[in-house]
Amino acid sequence: MTPYVLFFFILEKEKEKMKIKDLFIDFFVSKGHKQIPSAPVVPENDPSVLFNTAGMQPLIPYLMGEPHPYGTRLCDYQKCIRTNDLDVIGDTYHHTFFEMLGNWSLGDYFKDEAIEWSFEFLTKVLNIPVEKLAVTVYAGKDNIPFDNTAHDKWLSLGIKEERIARTVDDNFWIAGETGPCGPDTEMFYWRSNEPVPEKFDPEDERWVEIWNDVFMQYKKNSDGSIEELPKKNVDTGMGVERVTAVLEGVNDNYMSSIWSDVIELISKISNLPYEGNEVSMRIIADHLRTAVFISADPAGIKPSNVGQGYILRRLIRRAIRHAKKLNIDVNSDWESQIASLIMNKYEIYYSELKDNRNIVLEVLKNEKEKFNRTLEKGLREFEKVTRDNKDLDASTSFRLYDTYGFPIELTIELAHEKGLNVDEEGFKEKFKAHQELSRTASAGQFKGGLSGNNEIETKYHTATHLLNAALKQVVSKDVHQKGSNITDERMRFDFSCDHKLTDEEKKQTEDLVNKWINEGLPVKVEEMKKEDAIASGAECMFIEKYPDIVTVYTIGDNVSKELCGGPHVKNTSELGHFKIVKEEASSAGVRRIKAILE
């Protein structure tokens, strides 16, 4: 570690026990921002993604214009999960779960303040030397001009012209084909012991991006035209894992203080050094941390073959496969030891880890036992397909992978013990085709962005409130929402219930919702203190995610009263006819209703 790259929380005595998250929040609170709580990793009423993929994801309604109860200057640290890079986990810097630091301006300050505060935090709080920094700005294209405001601001702060690169594709943000958009400016750090070059080359991998400020100042229309937004927003993001590694002077994120104790424990359990076993140890550390946060989420996700449950199952099973590669006794409590260490590290920031500790450990243990049985079946299948001592073709090796969870490395190893060959290239082709099919099939679900909250989705959102209220009357007052998913074609509603609904219960629920719709009940919205809202009888799904000042939606004369971020219709008469299409089990103690509005 070079002398000037001292780790940030020992720069000053009073900061000895502070982490990057605390420093970031304290800094932006001093600039008039309000801290908002991290949203759960499973998004509420957002069908575009399985998990919150970025710090801005939970703030979509407010970036679209809804007033935020905390005002126009916000900051937070947000739990995020991205699965598009799952197959490259094992390198030095990719992670499925990560934390994003963010500060937002909702129609308040703009480029000048955002850039100045980014620079101040990096150079004054984290003590990064200016000579180790470089930035990119939007070069301009078609009818959107060069971002001279950002460029000139960086110059005024002491960033040399040679350290400001102008790009197009990497410095313009838009969620989809249309909607809010604008230029951004990215900050880079020179992560190398070699001399810093005078001229900044963004293609040089020794320059590492550490922060991004997005300026939503335009709106792109369906005809391709661009217009200025009357209300401009700032959205920034900085990854905790990356900036920690940068400040600690390590080129391997898993050698930073965020991961080092987890890696050390895996090394102790396996009785193997990190060197030479890096990939498997990184995968185990990364996947178990992500599995811990998914399992602890209030949505109650359990391993399954669909949606979030499928991702959870895949993560746990991949961690188990790599534990076997390290010769860890997978029947021991190895996963519990690692998960407990992870929860101990993070529970000071995320209370759900403390509240749901036993659930997390049970999920991991149960899935481990199931997968161990699956592996045994796979071994029996392997023995069967190699009984005639013929080489394994691509179809057979891929079936062992896809059906029995056999990694190709295990198939090759076992085949070589029998003196057999495996069509590895053919397997790779089938695997690539499988990946492509999966990406195509799930493209809509993973695309994310600001495309939701259209008129029909707004109606469905309101309908979930009526359904929740009806279930409380028809089934039990102890019914509580456990999750929901809305598209422009249907709504899905998960709720706590210990039995399959009878036909009579379903009909009564449906009739009651339609009764309230036909009565044309007004939907009232008001802001109040969270404790006052709860005292008034308002219900909410995830109480810990709401700020001290909350938005409460009341339908009719207390037919429904819930804390919610919206949006909603103004009157139930706008909803149409409500129809339950299906009622089924979601997980233990949780039922699921799929319904439509006709």
Side-chain angles (χ1 to χ4, degrees), residues 264-428:
E264 184 179 345
L265 178 57
I266 296 170
S267 180
K268 180 181 177 182
I269 292 171
S270 65
N271 199 29
L272 291 171
Y274 179 59
E275 185 178 353
N277 301 287
E278 297 95 332
V279 172
S280 288
M281 290 190 181
R282 290 168 187 159
I283 288 172
I284 292 169
D286 173 272
H287 285 11
L288 284 186
R289 184 175 74 160
T290 309
V292 161
F293 275 93
I294 296 175
S295 302
D297 195 85
I301 303 299
K302 298 292 189 294
S304 68
N305 291 325
V306 295
Q308 291 101 339
Y310 172 73
I311 298 298
L312 177 57
R313 168 162 287 167
R314 187 178 174 192
L315 290 166
I316 297 172
R317 292 189 171 193
R318 193 165 186 238
I320 293 169
R321 293 205 302 267
H322 282 273
K324 289 177 75 73
K325 290 187 70 172
L326 297 177
N327 297 320
I328 292 174
D329 178 4
V330 293
N331 292 309
S332 69
D333 67 343
W334 64 277
E335 83 291 344
S336 176
Q337 293 181 54
I338 298 169
S340 295
L341 173 59
I342 291 167
M343 288 187 281
N344 291 343
K345 287 165 63 74
Y346 285 93
E347 64 183 16
I348 187 175
Y349 294 105
Y350 306 113
S351 60
E352 69 268 23
L353 297 178
K354 183 182 291 186
D355 298 339
N356 297 323
R357 174 179 288 263
N358 291 336
I359 293 173
V360 171
L361 297 178
E362 183 182 2
V363 164
L364 293 174
K365 182 173 182 287
N366 290 345
E367 188 61 22
K368 178 188 72 175
E369 292 173 350
K370 285 180 183 177
F371 187 48
N372 284 343
R373 291 194 294 270
T374 298
L375 276 177
E376 290 172 10
K377 291 178 183 177
L379 286 169
R380 288 197 295 270
E381 181 66 17
F382 178 83
E383 291 300 323
K384 184 164 56 173
V385 300
T386 57
R387 205 170 286 159
D388 57 3
N389 288 322
K390 288 184 178 179
D391 291 342
L392 292 176
D393 60 24
S395 296
T396 302
S397 56
F398 185 77
R399 181 162 59 86
L400 285 168
Y401 166 81
D402 193 40
T403 304
Y404 296 99
F406 258 44
I408 186 64
E409 296 85 2
L410 179 56
T411 300
I412 293 169
E413 181 183 336
L414 293 171
H416 286 176
E417 288 176 5
K418 287 177 171 279
L420 305 176
N421 294 315
V422 177
D423 182 3
E424 295 182 53
E425 290 305 314
F427 174 87
K428 290 177 183 177

Side-chain angles (χ1 to χ4, degrees), residues 6 10 60 70 81 92 154 165 178 188 201 206 217 223 250 277 313 317 321 329 467 488 493 507 524 577 582:
L6 296 175
I10 58 171
I60 286 173
Y70 261 32
I81 293 177
T92 61
W154 284 119
T178 61
F188 291 77
D201 177 9
R206 292 172 294 181
Q217 66 184 99
D223 62 2
V250 295
N277 301 287
R313 168 162 287 167
R317 292 189 171 193
R321 293 205 302 267
D329 178 4
L467 175 57
D488 56 7
F493 186 84
K507 186 175 187 310
K524 183 176 69 173
H577 182 77
K582 190 174 186 180

